[in-house]
Amino acid sequence: MLLRALLLTCLLQAACLGAPCSKVLRVPFESWPPYSYLDAGGKPAGFEIDMLDAIAKAAGCKVSWVQDLPRKRRWLYFTQGELDVLLAASDNGLASHNAVAMFTRPYRPEIIAAFVLDDRRPHPHVGSLQAMLKHRVPLVTQTGSDGGYPLAAQFLAAGLVTRYEEYRKGVQLLQLRRGEVLIGDQWAVQHAATEQGVPIRRLDIAIARGEVAYMLNRKTLTQADLNAINEAIVQLGRNGTLERIRRRWLVGL
């Protein structure tokens, strides 16, 4: 009876899924609230931190957060085998990605939304991206997001785009009228605006929606590592853990 109870306990614990990871996972930390930031004690905190911690624990993995790594170097370090996992990745089928990376199952949604200042000013011609382009409505968009929203190339060619690196700066640019519409990650924009006390309103138009996964390094990780993480994502999705983490950080911002 004792052996049966121990076996049942193991089956119910997420840590019993598959074999442990082959190594400690080196993951670059990015300041991206509410997804990731340093808390008052200087430790990584936020949605992505909690999510990966839960999934890694369920897969039998340990995580080492690599801090102070510039964004533009992350992909270089990844290809050189100095990083093992990249967060919030999309499998776009690029050969350059698939040659060095494996993608897990999706673990969260990604919503790209459009916002205007909620200052009672009229905002004509913002009913669609097509209308904005036709009427030359200037946008504020994130650096490196050329393919992140429809008609991006046309807006860029028309000189209608001002770029931002951090979402806090994007909200400031909108407040300074450097653009009429701010495009970016729904929860990151809302968090930055709330933090700065800037009233914004989300437009009721669809920009882009998808799901993101973890990008694993083919050079440093194994198929068994990928399988273990995928099994953990499935198990934690079924028992409601992933949804509870999403609601803790992302709902109601």
Side-chain angles (χ1 to χ4, degrees):
M1 291 295 292
L2 178 60
L3 178 60
R4 181 179 298 177
L6 289 174
L7 288 174
L8 180 60
T9 300
C10 183
L11 288 173
L12 292 175
Q13 288 178 343
C16 292
L17 285 173
C21 279
S22 60
K23 59 172 297 187
V24 175
L25 303 178
R26 298 166 298 175
V27 187
F29 171 82
E30 177 182 2
S31 180
W32 185 21
Y35 295 100
S36 53
Y37 60 92
L38 296 180
D39 64 16
K43 295 182 179 180
F47 169 83
E48 289 284 4
I49 310 302
D50 283 1
M51 184 68 77
L52 183 57
D53 282 352
I55 292 171
K57 182 178 179 181
C61 309
K62 293 184 178 180
V63 175
S64 174
W65 292 100
V66 181
Q67 298 186 33
D68 301 322
L69 186 61
R71 179 180 61 84
K72 293 182 180 179
R73 294 185 187 175
R74 291 172 198 150
W75 176 247
L76 174 63
Y77 284 16
F78 185 84
T79 60
Q80 292 176 341
E82 297 181 38
L83 295 172
D84 302 305
V85 180
L86 296 182
L87 307 177
S90 298
D91 186 357
N92 51 22
L94 289 177
S96 59
H97 283 183
N98 292 330
V100 297
M102 304 179 288
F103 291 87
T104 68
R105 291 174 175 269
Y107 65 91
R108 72 164 173 90
E110 181 178 62
I111 301 174
I112 305 301
F115 299 85
V116 295
L117 287 174
D118 192 8
D119 55 3
R120 298 185 180 181
R121 289 177 60 242
H123 296 279
H125 317 309
V126 296
S128 69
L129 283 172
Q130 290 82 358
M132 294 182 209
L133 182 62
K134 178 180 178 181
H135 294 280
R136 299 187 59 81
V137 174
L139 306 182
V140 178
T141 70
Q142 191 174 32
T143 300
S145 61
D146 291 0
Y149 60 98
L151 304 179
Q154 290 93 320
F155 276 97
L156 286 167
L160 296 172
V161 176
T162 297
R163 297 295 192 88
Y164 63 90
E165 180 75 19
E166 298 181 352
Y167 280 92
R168 182 180 180 86
K169 183 64 174 180
V171 171
Q172 291 173 356
L173 290 171
L174 182 68
Q175 191 176 28
L176 292 171
R177 317 288 186 188
R178 296 291 298 276
E180 186 175 344
V181 177
L182 170 61
I183 292 179
D185 179 274
Q186 171 181 309
W187 291 291
V189 171
Q190 290 175 320
H191 183 277
T194 300
E195 186 180 56
Q196 297 177 84
V198 177
I200 61 172
R201 174 171 57 87
R202 179 180 172 178
L203 298 178
D204 189 22
I205 60 175
I207 300 296
R209 184 187 179 101
E211 293 184 304
V212 296
Y214 296 118
M215 184 187 289
L216 307 188
N217 197 318
R218 287 187 182 276
K219 292 181 179 180
T220 63
L221 299 178
T222 67
Q223 182 65 42
D225 295 328
L226 175 64
N227 293 343
I229 292 173
N230 277 337
E231 289 174 12
I233 292 172
V234 171
Q235 196 270 346
L236 296 182
R238 286 174 177 168
N239 69 20
T241 298
L242 300 189
E243 182 61 23
R244 285 193 292 272
I245 295 173
R246 292 189 190 106
R247 289 184 176 276
R248 185 188 312 155
W249 288 103
L250 303 183
V251 174
L253 280 176

